[in-house]
Structure formats: structure tokens, C-alpha cells
Amino acid sequence: MSAPIRKAVFPVAGLGTRFLPATKAMPKEMLTIVDKPVIQHVVEEARAAGIEHFIFVTGPGKGVIEEHFARQAELERILEERGKLAELDLLTAGLPDPGQTSFTVQQEPLGLGHAVWCARDLVGDEPFALLLPDMLVQTKGKGCLAQLLDQYERSGGNVLAVEQVPEDTAHQYGVVDIERGEGASHEIKAMIEKPAPGTAPSNLIILGRYLLQPEIFNILETQQRGAGGEIQLTDAMITLLASQLFTALEYAGKCFDCGSITGFLAANVAFALERKDLSDELLAELRKLI
């Protein structure tokens, strides 16, 4: 029986240079999708999947993320006094319970693998979830992480969310080579980080949702810098693949890359259209614009 996954790591140390000047004084993870910061959407996905401990790997100037997930007693008091109970419920509903959040600082921007390694003492010797906040997933039923946890119960090991992209764009991502299974899950035979154009073994890319075993930390401890001069998580996973099972799950849903301006804008439209209180009016405005 596989050890339960109780903890999730959120790397939030990036600079967000593609969104300047908006991110000059505000972390990119705090940019809003409709009326919630991107990071809150991703934390809520993890909470809905049963995660109990939320670990944020931050960087300089990211203190507002910690403040966002803390109680704001004065604001709550004012809302209560003014009878704005719906707003008060909305404010407190997204907060983890006391003791469920931890923060650690990635002192240098050395890549995703290094950010994950920075969480090693908070995760400890147990499997964990890793969610990249830039990647926001919209689903009709279970969230993306919940789908991965269902797969983890069946297969154990390490589980990665993957999705299909046009073959001529696969070289822009981390790509998996698979032993195709039945349904949406496949055993991973190999992984390649940004293969040369035309050489990708498949058009299945690693999405940004991972379930990983703790042995990944020992590998990251001595991992050499890879693509872009950074410590790449994919390189460490390739090493771990030699001794552990990795399963790729083609999740049910749609992913928006909120690290790009186009993806961020598309996510705002898609999530707003899901809202009954917004969809009709927004559609009317979009028709006028288009």
C-alpha cells in the first residue's frame, strides 16, 4: 500500500518579468483570475484533493503571499460590523486552517529543481504533491490533482499529469516517452526536457502537477545544472526513473499557462464564463468587442 500524500509544494519564487510593470511590486502569483489570485485557485485545487499541509517556496518580495493566506482580523471585524457576511464567508473560506501553511525562501533563482529541494525539510521522508501555480487547470468534475491522487492509489510510485500538444510545439516543453496503456494512464519510459525540434518521442508534455517520492530530494542535492543553467527537476526525475515507477496521466480538463499574458487573459475569460453571475453579461460584452 502506498504512503498517503498529505503535503503539497508550491514554487512561488519566480520574478514574473513577462508581466512587468504589473509585477514590479506585486508577485505574479497574486494577479487575479476573475476575483481570486492565481495562487488561491491552485491552493483550492489542492485542498479539494485532500491536501493537509501547504508549503510555499518563496523569494524576495513575496511576503504578500504569506499575508494573503493569514487571517486579517481587522478586515474581518469591519465586514462583520457592516453586515457583509457573504463577503466575510468568501474571505475566510479560502484560508487553510491554523498550522497548515509553511514558508521557506529560495535564496537564489536556480530553477524548479532547486526550488523543490528547498522544501526538503518541510516535506520530510514522505511522498508529496508539487503544483506549479502558473499552470491553472479548469475541470468539469474532479480537479487535476484529485485525478492524480486517484491514479496514485492504483499505481503508487510517481505520477505526472500530461497533456497532448501539436507535434511541432512539443520541443518547447518537457516531453515523456510512454508505454501506452489502457485508458488515460501510461507507464513512462523516458523524459526529455525541451528536445531538439523534430526529435520529441511523443506529443505528451509534462503539465505542472506532480506526485513525487521523497528520494527525489537526494538526487536534487547533487543535481548538476541543466538547460538554461538551472537545476532542472526533469533531470532529477530521469535519474529516479531508473529505480522507480513513473506513470503519466492524461488528465480530464483544460490547462491555462498563466505565466504568459495570452494564457492569463484566456483563463480570466474561461473562469468568468463558468460563473452564472457573470457569464451572460460577459458574453454580451465579448460579442461587442469581437
Side-chain angles (χ1 to χ4, degrees):
M1 181 177 178
S2 301
I5 292 180
R6 305 179 304 110
K7 298 178 180 180
V9 174
F10 304 87
V12 292
L15 296 176
T17 53
R18 282 185 282 184
F19 284 88
L20 288 170
T23 51
K24 179 182 178 182
M26 178 174 65
K28 63 176 181 175
E29 296 83 8
M30 292 300 295
L31 297 175
T32 55
I33 301 298
V34 189
D35 55 3
K36 295 178 185 176
V38 172
I39 185 61
Q40 185 172 336
H41 283 277
V42 181
V43 167
E44 288 179 358
E45 177 188 334
R47 286 187 69 187
I51 294 298
E52 302 171 7
H53 190 174
F54 307 87
I55 300 167
F56 299 87
V57 182
T58 70
K62 299 278 185 165
V64 68
I65 296 176
E66 186 169 354
E67 293 176 12
H68 179 75
F69 289 105
R71 299 292 297 266
Q72 299 290 335
E74 182 64 15
L75 176 58
E76 292 175 22
R77 181 187 64 79
I78 292 172
L79 290 174
E80 186 171 12
E81 287 179 354
R82 295 180 179 179
K84 295 183 176 293
L85 301 184
E87 290 83 353
L88 179 59
D89 289 342
L90 190 63
L91 183 68
T92 57
L95 295 178
D97 292 334
Q100 286 192 325
T101 56
S102 296
F103 294 82
T104 188
V105 178
Q106 183 185 20
Q107 300 287 359
E108 299 179 79
L110 296 180
L112 176 59
H114 182 258
V116 173
W117 179 77
C118 287
R120 65 198 182 282
D121 290 337
L122 293 169
V123 172
D125 189 25
E126 58 183 282
F128 63 100
L130 171 65
L131 298 91
L132 306 190
D134 281 352
M135 311 308 288
L136 192 57
V137 183
Q138 185 181 49
T139 61
K140 296 297 184 183
K142 282 189 174 182
C144 183
L145 187 62
Q147 295 176 45
L148 261 66
L149 287 167
D150 287 345
Q151 176 61 43
Y152 176 75
E153 290 185 3
R154 295 189 292 268
S155 63
N158 305 268
V159 184
L160 311 183
V162 299
E163 68 175 16
Q164 296 187 35
V165 298
E167 291 184 2
D168 60 354
T169 66
H171 65 279
Q172 301 173 17
Y173 307 94
V175 181
V176 296
D177 187 11
I178 60 169
E179 184 70 41
R180 189 163 291 278
E182 295 183 5
S185 64
H186 321 284
E187 183 176 344
I188 296 176
K189 298 188 298 181
M191 289 173 269
I192 304 173
E193 181 66 28
K194 295 183 179 179
T199 66
S202 77
N203 68 333
L204 288 174
I205 66 166
I206 301 170
L207 168 72
R209 299 290 186 274
Y210 312 72
L211 303 179
L212 297 170
Q213 295 296 321
E215 287 78 12
I216 196 76
F217 293 122
N218 294 330
I219 298 170
L220 289 168
E221 180 86 35
T222 57
Q223 181 67 53
Q224 298 298 308
R225 298 191 187 196
E230 297 181 337
I231 298 173
Q232 296 289 344
L233 178 64
T234 300
D235 292 342
M237 292 193 298
I238 290 169
T239 301
L240 189 57
L241 179 62
S243 59
Q244 290 189 3
L245 172 68
F246 275 76
T247 301
L249 179 69
E250 295 186 70
Y251 71 98
K254 179 173 176 54
C255 180
F256 298 91
D257 180 2
C258 293
S260 74
I261 293 177
T262 301
F264 173 78
L265 294 173
N268 265 288
V269 173
F271 277 75
L273 289 175
E274 268 194 332
R275 295 262 299 262
K276 292 182 179 180
D277 61 327
L278 296 174
S279 58
D280 290 345
E281 187 175 353
L282 177 59
L283 272 174
E285 292 297 325
L286 289 173
R287 289 190 182 104
K288 293 177 187 177
L289 292 171
I290 294 172

